[in-house]
Amino acid sequence: MPSYNPPVRDTRFVLEHVVGLPRYADLPGFAAASPDVVDAVLEEGGRFVADVLFPLNLSGDQEGCTRHADGSVTTPAGFREAYRQYVDSGWATLGNAPEFGGQGMPHVVSTAFQEYMISSNMAFAMYPGLTHGAIAALIASGSEAQKATYVPRMVSGEWGGTMNLTEPQCGTDLGLIRTRAEPNADGSWAITGTKIFISSGEHDLTENIIHLVLAKTPGAPDSSKGISLFVVPKVLVDDDGSPGARNAVSCGSIEHKMGIHANSTCVMNYDGATGWLVGDEMKGLSAMFVMMNAARLGVGLQGLGTAEVAYQNAAAYANDRRQGRALAGAREPGEKADTLFVHPDVRRMLMEAKALTEGLRALCLWGALQVDLEEDAGSPEATGMAADLIGLLIPVVKGYGTDIGYRVATTAQQVYGGHGYVAEWGMEQYVRDARIAMIYEGTNGVQAMDLVGRKLAYKGGRAVQAFFRIVGGEVAAAKGDPATADIAERLGNALGDLQAATMWFMTNGMKNPENVGAGAYSYMELMGLVAVGLMWLRMAVAASRLRREGDAAFGTAFLDAKLVTARFYAERMLPDTGALRRKIESGAEAVMALPPEMFLAA
């Protein structure tokens, strides 16, 4: 049976010394995040998920959700009670705006708690996670009446929320959607169509589910420019705010999936369901992208959450399991065998998992800080910089972050050997659950194309140039400390590879756009390596400083481990940037040369 201990000390270290949360105390939205409150959120939140949510993870996966003849869905045993505790304890309101009943904590703090939820029970965490995205879309694009009707009850956790984009014939290419919206005399719309892969589409955790649905209105262009967004509640809401009649929306079936069995991924049927336009007609895609961007950051966090719990269990297993002897001779002659920790290849796997997981945590929290700062960073320049950085980083956090999640989960499974492949040890569930994060909310290939096709050129390359300056400046500063000089030097070399790959795209992308497409995924990996490398440089700089100051809050062993892991990342992982650069510079010719029939030939 697996176990889980929320990494509170590591989160606190990142928030205080990498993200620098205390520096922003005077900015709007950060007043509630005093050190004692943040500590309480981490400690109490960690205790809640470990005691309430984690025990339901394995049983929920085994039981799954059940659809009944009337189209209703029940979640696994214990989920309703756990959700009630989640709501009653106030966790649903943590990062939401006070004007809608939220606690007003910065996004970066609520992100830390969300990581713990995902690690403890990814399928459960998806129910409120989708609601948060729907809240963001309604606040950004909904009318005042829509906000007043739906948002407070969604913030409280009384109601849930979903996003409905995908249809059987289209996923990424949303211009192909067939769901139709016909105007009603009272100003509402009749929504008809079928949506698939709808996470949390129907369940028994909340009394109402507020669906955000993409559809096309009469006469709309047959492209993505003709898409509108509608709010379609499962249960209609009367004028006084009380639940009314059941709407004409139902769950046709639950998808049979590889993982996340305890989340109800539904086929949703809209049979003339009553909905209301959100924002302007035929501007639905931009309104939905508010929700999609929030969801993509959340999916990147799923990569982190899965990696953390898988890594924890692999390290514990390696410490207990005895197999063979150390290459230099028996470490424990009194035992019949040494533990797995004596074997360099097992150490390699665990060090990679540790370096990737802790580095991704820092990147996710730094990205979450940019979400806060793009609201108001104290000056127009700083606010614009935050918006640029998070726009650039979203596809990296989602794409590279979920690659890390799956990589660490499979690495952890490998540490277990055959025990990792059987269900009783829990590792195979983490592999299955991690896999979906690389696919939904835009596959990682789509994220890579978004990065190179849109984000690099945005505003003349302003965002990526700002990122280059940040990395370059911190590399130069860190070279003055012997404890971080080599790490900085290696990160500087990796930055050079990233800059050279960027220039190659600029030179060769216009000549042949397929050069960009063929190199996009390698570029996303390259930028991910550098971004995580920046986080490790920051952690090494902080650890070195705290060691010199004799800090007692984190302990010498913890700080030394940070320095060693930063060195491992620099020596063993950053060299991959050179290979990725060479892949990019090889262009598209070999990728695109074979005719399709050669792939299909027997």
Side-chain angles (χ1 to χ4, degrees), residues 423-437:
E424 67 180 286
W425 290 87
M427 290 302 100
E428 58 86 34
Q429 182 190 346
Y430 295 129
V431 173
R432 289 186 287 105
D433 285 355
R435 189 64 183 88
I436 185 57

Side-chain angles (χ1 to χ4, degrees), residues 83 86-87 90-104 128 131-132 135-136 139 147 150-160:
Y83 185 80
Y86 167 80
V87 170
W91 296 114
T93 65
L94 186 64
N96 288 301
E99 57 263 39
F100 297 108
Q103 297 181 46
T131 303
H132 292 156
I135 290 169
I139 290 176
K147 295 176 191 177
Y150 302 112
V151 173
R153 293 188 182 182
M154 296 170 74
V155 165
S156 71
E158 184 180 351
W159 293 351

Side-chain angles (χ1 to χ4, degrees), residues 35 116 143 349:
Y116 298 172
S143 67
M349 290 189 285

